[in-house]
Amino acid sequence: MYDCTRNYINGEWVDSGSGGLHDIINPATEQPVGQVAYGNAIDVDRAVAAARSAFAAFSQWTADDRVELLENIVTEYKRRWNDIAAAITAEMGAPAEFSRRSQAGSGLGHLRATIAALKEIPREEPAGDSRIWREPIGVCGLITPWNWPINQITCKVAPALAAGCTVVLKPSEIAPADASLVAEVLHAAGGPAGVFNLVQGDGPGVGSAISAHPGIDMVSFTGSTRAGILVAKSAADSVKRVAQELGGKSPNIILESAPLDEAVAAGAHAMFDNTGQSCNAPSRMLVPEAMYDQAVEIAAAVARETRCGDPLDPETHIGPVISETQFNRIQTLIETGMKEGANLAAGGPGKPAGLETGYYVKPTVFRDVNNDMTIAREEIFGPVLCMIPYSSLDEAVRIANDTVYGLSSYVWGGSREEALARAHRLRTGMGHNNGADTDIMAPFGGYRQSGNGREWGRHVIEDFQEIKAVMGACPGKIR
């Protein structure tokens, strides 16, 4: 059983100020696997005070000192890798091998990428007669989601520390166990007291207190667009910087020249990966009308072959969705799609046969979808693929860009060069050409209601820094 009933503040494990305990539910079994205590504004006050006190010294550490700390964290993370993977499987239902390879693996990847990026960022740069300095922004409030829990924690905590900031982390209350393990990792790595602080809790009790707190200089939030808007409004009164990584409804354009079997199957697998619970999932597949029926059959075959089941079974491809609330929401959206005229090519409402216990959703493919349907507009956040026909490339681009989101886009053509030429027309923060995966050194983020700011690599470290112009600082030019 996972004990997440204490917060980590100023280098110590301390009791939560609220004392309210809540079960951590394994979505595969619907049974508790631990408890978490929801904190409150008093806990946030204590954590912010510790972070502000630690900032004065930590902000003056050299880049080499911060690299050494991050390397110590890597060493400790590798020791706890299996523990972190097991926690993610228990709290969010990810298949065990996927948890170890992709979920826990992403955390180590971000730590290493941050170290590499930090070594490349100059401390100062010339500009006319002046010098441009980069300095840590201050105390950062980090609010992370449940769907890629350790990924989102490490891709915020590591660059914040690399920039010289101190942090207060609020992980998802649904998946809190891996965050407590991260606190243990940082403690074992020798992080100074107050540099990293963890406050467990929900959005109303802890997230709101972080976003509104006058002692926090920046909030980095990952989650739904609805919640991101609330964070930004709450942060506005103190004029703090807000970086947001929010929702998506990413298009996947299959060009006429694409190898259809490979392109469609890859797109469907990517959609069902992590049980569809990824903000950059390619949820709208756009296919030329002449190839549409064949493409639907290919995607439907992938759905039927995708094994949904026990996360501890090595034959399982995808596990359950995170909660009963999310399961019910997905079921409502599937039924809405059917009512609005979309037809099922695979899957549909209800649980897969033999999986009555657990929040399992059938891998689902909708055909005959148009971009005005609810299932094409709203982020479903489950294993549901919408297939949309198009008559010309101009129409495909118009449909792809017809969304409030702008996180990711996918194009598959006869060559990467052909796909790249079309990617310029798509209004998204990221583009994937011919099956290219995300690049951990490239910036991750989107346009419009998919958020602002960027994560991963050098760009996110710079988001945690202020820019100072020092006039007359160039040798020989001081008057």
Side-chain angles (χ1 to χ4, degrees):
M1 298 290 280
Y2 293 96
D3 182 0
C4 302
T5 60
R6 294 184 298 166
N7 299 317
Y8 182 77
I9 298 175
N10 205 31
E12 297 180 339
W13 290 99
V14 297
D15 291 335
S16 173
S18 69
L21 299 181
H22 301 261
D23 287 335
I24 305 167
I25 300 298
N26 183 329
T29 65
E30 302 183 39
Q31 296 300 310
V33 291
Q35 286 192 316
V36 57
Y38 286 11
N40 57 24
I42 295 172
D43 297 304
V44 174
D45 285 341
R46 295 173 66 186
V48 172
R52 294 212 72 82
S53 178
F55 178 74
F58 186 66
S59 63
Q60 300 305 306
W61 279 30
T62 67
D64 288 343
D65 291 335
R66 297 195 296 272
V67 165
E68 183 178 355
L69 173 60
L70 289 166
E71 287 175 341
N72 290 341
I73 293 171
V74 166
T75 298
E76 294 300 326
Y77 188 100
K78 289 165 71 175
R79 289 183 58 248
R80 304 300 300 274
W81 186 326
N82 289 335
D83 296 335
I84 291 167
I88 293 171
T89 292
E91 65 191 355
M92 69 158 293
E97 177 55 27
F98 182 79
S99 285
R100 190 179 188 284
R101 170 178 42 84
S102 297
Q103 292 275 3
S106 68
L108 183 62
H110 284 302
L111 288 166
R112 287 173 168 165
T114 299
I115 292 170
L118 178 56
K119 291 178 178 179
E120 296 176 356
I121 296 177
R123 165 70 170 76
E124 60 178 50
E125 300 171 88
D129 290 353
S130 306
R131 306 295 291 179
I132 306 301
W133 291 355
R134 296 184 181 277
E135 298 182 342
I137 194 169
V139 176
C140 299
L142 312 179
I143 303 174
T144 59
W146 50 260
N147 61 317
W148 284 90
I150 204 72
N151 176 83
Q152 290 305 126
I153 290 172
T154 52
C155 80
K156 294 182 189 294
V157 171
L161 299 184
C165 299
T166 56
V167 306
V168 177
L169 169 68
K170 188 211 89 67
S172 169
E173 68 276 19
I174 302 176
D178 65 292
S180 289
L181 292 173
V182 166
E184 293 178 9
V185 165
L186 267 74
H187 185 87
V195 168
F196 170 85
N197 304 275
L198 166 68
V199 180
Q200 301 279 13
D202 62 0
V206 176
S208 295
I210 286 175
S211 58
H213 203 290
I216 288 180
D217 302 291
M218 174 180 174
V219 174
S220 178
F221 171 86
T222 299
S224 70
T225 298
R226 177 193 60 79
I229 291 169
L230 295 176
V231 167
K233 288 180 177 178
S234 182
D237 288 341
S238 52
V239 199
K240 59 172 59 72
R241 185 181 299 176
V242 178
Q244 300 172 315
E245 202 280 286
L246 308 176
K249 195 68 181 176
S250 299
N252 181 8
I253 300 178
I254 311 298
L255 301 178
E256 289 185 356
S257 59
L260 195 65
D261 285 352
E262 182 182 7
V264 173
H269 281 299
M271 181 61 240
F272 301 144
D273 190 41
N274 202 37
T275 320
Q277 299 172 126
S278 298
C279 55
N280 62 334
S283 52
R284 293 182 296 149
M285 184 179 289
L286 281 60
V287 183
E289 289 176 345
M291 308 162 71
Y292 184 73
D293 289 339
Q294 184 181 354
V296 168
E297 284 305 310
I298 295 167
V302 171
R304 288 189 289 267
E305 293 164 3
T306 298
R307 182 170 177 179
C308 186
D310 182 358
L312 299 180
D313 184 343
E315 299 299 317
T316 291
H317 297 138
I318 63 173
V321 296
I322 186 66
S323 66
E324 182 178 15
T325 298
Q326 183 64 8
F327 173 84
N328 290 336
R329 181 178 181 277
I330 294 168
Q331 296 303 309
T332 297
L333 285 166
I334 290 174
E335 291 167 359
T336 298
M338 297 165 64
K339 290 176 183 176
E340 291 183 357
N343 292 305
L344 289 167
K351 295 182 178 181
L355 294 173
E356 287 74 25
T357 299
Y359 309 125
Y360 293 99
V361 175
K362 297 175 185 176
T364 295
V365 175
F366 272 112
R367 63 167 297 147
D368 307 316
V369 179
N370 69 64
N371 208 50
D372 294 325
M373 293 179 176
T374 302
I375 55 173
R377 309 299 299 181
E378 293 192 16
E379 186 176 34
I380 298 173
F381 229 60
V384 180
L385 174 63
C386 298
M387 301 193 67
I388 303 172
Y390 70 85
S391 59
S392 68
L393 182 59
D394 285 344
E395 183 187 25
V397 171
R398 179 187 62 76
I399 293 171
N401 289 334
D402 181 19
T403 173
V404 297
Y405 299 109
L407 184 55
S408 219
S409 57
Y410 301 74
V411 180
W412 201 307
S415 67
R416 286 202 172 188
E417 291 73 22
E418 182 186 16
L420 183 62
R422 274 64 180 179
H424 288 294
R425 301 179 63 184
L426 301 177
R427 297 287 296 164
T428 59
M430 297 177 289
H432 301 257
N433 298 313
N434 281 29
D437 201 355
T438 51
D439 183 345
I440 206 162
M441 294 301 294
F444 187 106
Y447 297 177
R448 300 190 296 271
Q449 291 188 27
S450 287
N452 50 53
R454 290 296 182 267
E455 296 185 326
W456 301 17
R458 173 173 176 166
H459 291 79
V460 67
I461 297 177
E462 293 174 346
D463 265 7
F464 285 106
Q465 293 177 320
E466 290 283 21
I467 303 300
K468 176 182 286 185
V470 183
M471 314 304 170
C474 291
K477 295 187 177 181
I478 300 177
R479 296 178 177 86

